[in-house]
Every structure is written in C-alpha cells, then in structure tokens.
Amino acid sequence: MRILVVNVNTTRSITDSIGRQAAGAASPGTEIVPLTPAFGAESVEGNYESYLAAIAVMETVRAYPEPFDAVIQAGYGEHGREGLQELLDVPVVDITEAAASTAQFLGRSYSVVTSLDRTVPLIEERLHTAGLSARCASVRASGLAVLDLEQDEEAAVDAIVEQAAQAVEVDRAEVICLGCGGMSGLTERVVERTGVPVVDGVSAAVTIAESLVRLGLTTSKVRTYAPPRPKRFVNWPPPQAG
C-alpha cells in the first residue's frame, strides 16, 4: 500500500517531520510518500494562503507519476479536500477531520489547540463543513506561528500544554487534538502534562486511510465528488505549477 502525505506549505523540514510521524503510525507494508508542493507559502495561516495551498496540493498530487492507494492532506483546517476527492477515486483523508473523528471515539467532547488565533475560524468552518462541530468544546490558539514550532520545541510544548489545560479545565474537553501538521511529534509530551488523550491528525489520518484501503472503499462518484467535467481551461496550469 502506498499513501501520499502532502504538506500544505513549502517548508521541507515540516514535510520531513510530517513524513516521520506518518511512517511511525503506518503498518508494516505501507509505504509513506511525503510530498512538498512546488509553489505556495512557507506556512499557511490564513484564507489566501489556504486557497493557494489547495491548488498547490492538488497539482502536486496530479503530477505524482506512480500509482498510489490513498492521499492524506496534511494541513489543519485548510481548503482543498473536496477538490482532491473530485480528482481521485482513491480515499482522501484530511488531518482535521481525521483527528476530530478519532477524538469522538475517546471522549464526549474534544478541543483543538492550534497555532495563531487567525486560524481558529478556518478550523471551526472545516469542522462544521465536515459535520464534526457538535462535540467540539473549543478551538484554542497557542499564539505560535507555524514556523515557531521548529524554532523552540520546548516553548512550543509549554504554549500548547497551557491551552490544552485550559480546554480541559474551562471548556470541559475530554480529548485534545493537535491543530497543526507542524505539531506532529509532540503528542506524548502533551499527554504527560495534561492527563487526557491527545490526537495527532497525521497519525490518525494514516490509520484511517489504511483502513479504507483494506476495506476496498473508494470515494463516491455519484454526485458531490463526481470527476470535473471536461472543458477548456484558460492559461492553466500557470508556468510555476506546470
């Protein structure tokens, strides 16, 4: 089984971290292929960057030359999953939805701890669109920019734990979701300091993708995710995406 794990930003060190986390969660015999888009922002922290990332991820997957069995979109709260599902028959798993759906097996309510406050509405909208918001106690911002997560890991853990503790004590969350692909690898330390289950979206997405493939399930093409209709595109793809 081969699973493509696509970073939504162009920072290769984050792709490497996501790839390691995915490989650690994968079963024997599953090949994890981490991919970095050829264009886009170094980090995704707003709507403009998110929509650009959606295009970049779709074009990255379309350009991949070998067969694959599933795709993971490794951006928390980002746009584009629906477009990938139109383009592909294989399962497409978004880490936002993977984390939240997994959390619901572990407790009555969950909270998401993410990076900057400006990303909170994007995550809330994604959870609402996916039908996963009813049991979401809160989405809290750690105040860390995505690239800050790599600069000082201990400070990052402290900031995440502070918000996770508030989510448990104030918002009555019973499970925490790490709300950024760049937080992969921090799960165990957050668990130790909060005492509640902590779900990493990349790991959750891998196990869900593997299960869907093993069950022989594919994306429905009846209506919503039917393939794009054949038509003429003007000046697409642009030179940097071709």
Side-chain angles (χ1 to χ4, degrees):
M1 184 188 307
R2 176 181 290 157
I3 300 176
L4 307 186
V5 181
V6 193
N7 185 8
V8 298
N9 64 50
T10 57
T11 301
R12 291 187 182 276
S13 58
I14 294 180
T15 303
D16 293 341
S17 175
I18 290 169
R20 287 192 297 271
Q21 187 73 14
S27 301
T30 296
E31 178 187 3
I32 298 295
V33 181
L35 297 175
T36 305
F39 63 95
E42 62 180 352
S43 61
V44 180
E45 295 166 324
N47 280 284
Y48 172 75
E49 294 160 358
S50 180
Y51 279 112
L52 181 60
I55 297 170
V57 167
M58 286 187 282
E59 292 305 300
T60 298
V61 171
R62 289 211 310 156
Y64 186 75
E66 302 295 332
F68 53 89
D69 300 290
V71 173
I72 293 171
Q73 179 175 289
Y76 216 98
E78 311 308 339
H79 303 91
R81 186 263 298 162
E82 296 89 345
L84 281 171
Q85 288 185 289
E86 287 188 3
L87 292 172
L88 305 172
D89 293 324
V90 302
V92 176
V93 183
D94 172 77
I95 67 170
T96 317
E97 298 169 12
S101 58
T102 300
Q104 293 185 142
F105 288 105
L106 305 174
R108 181 177 179 275
S109 60
Y110 69 92
S111 285
V112 178
V113 178
T114 187
S115 52
L116 299 177
D117 183 65
R118 66 175 295 157
T119 66
V120 169
L122 277 73
I123 293 171
E124 290 175 337
E125 288 174 6
R126 171 54 60 190
L127 293 173
H128 177 74
T129 299
L132 294 165
S133 59
R135 289 166 62 182
C136 181
S138 61
V139 180
R140 285 178 166 266
S142 65
L144 298 164
V146 171
L147 299 183
D148 289 343
L149 295 167
E150 294 189 303
Q151 301 302 317
D152 188 339
E153 195 168 280
E154 290 307 315
V157 172
D158 288 343
I160 293 165
V161 166
E162 179 182 357
Q163 292 303 315
Q166 288 293 305
V168 173
E169 295 168 12
V170 178
D171 307 329
R172 312 302 291 170
E174 299 175 3
V175 183
I176 297 297
C177 296
L178 297 180
C180 177
M183 292 178 181
S184 291
L186 304 182
T187 308
E188 290 184 7
R189 276 178 287 176
V190 180
V191 170
E192 289 172 1
R193 293 174 59 180
T194 60
V196 299
V198 177
V199 182
D200 169 72
V202 174
S203 299
V206 169
T207 58
I208 291 170
E210 286 183 328
S211 297
L212 293 173
V213 173
R214 291 196 180 99
L215 289 168
L217 297 173
T218 58
T219 299
S220 174
K221 296 297 175 180
V222 170
R223 185 177 299 113
T224 306
Y225 304 125
R229 295 183 62 200
K231 62 185 66 175
R232 184 173 65 91
F233 285 79
V234 177
N235 296 323
W236 182 259
Q240 68 268 28

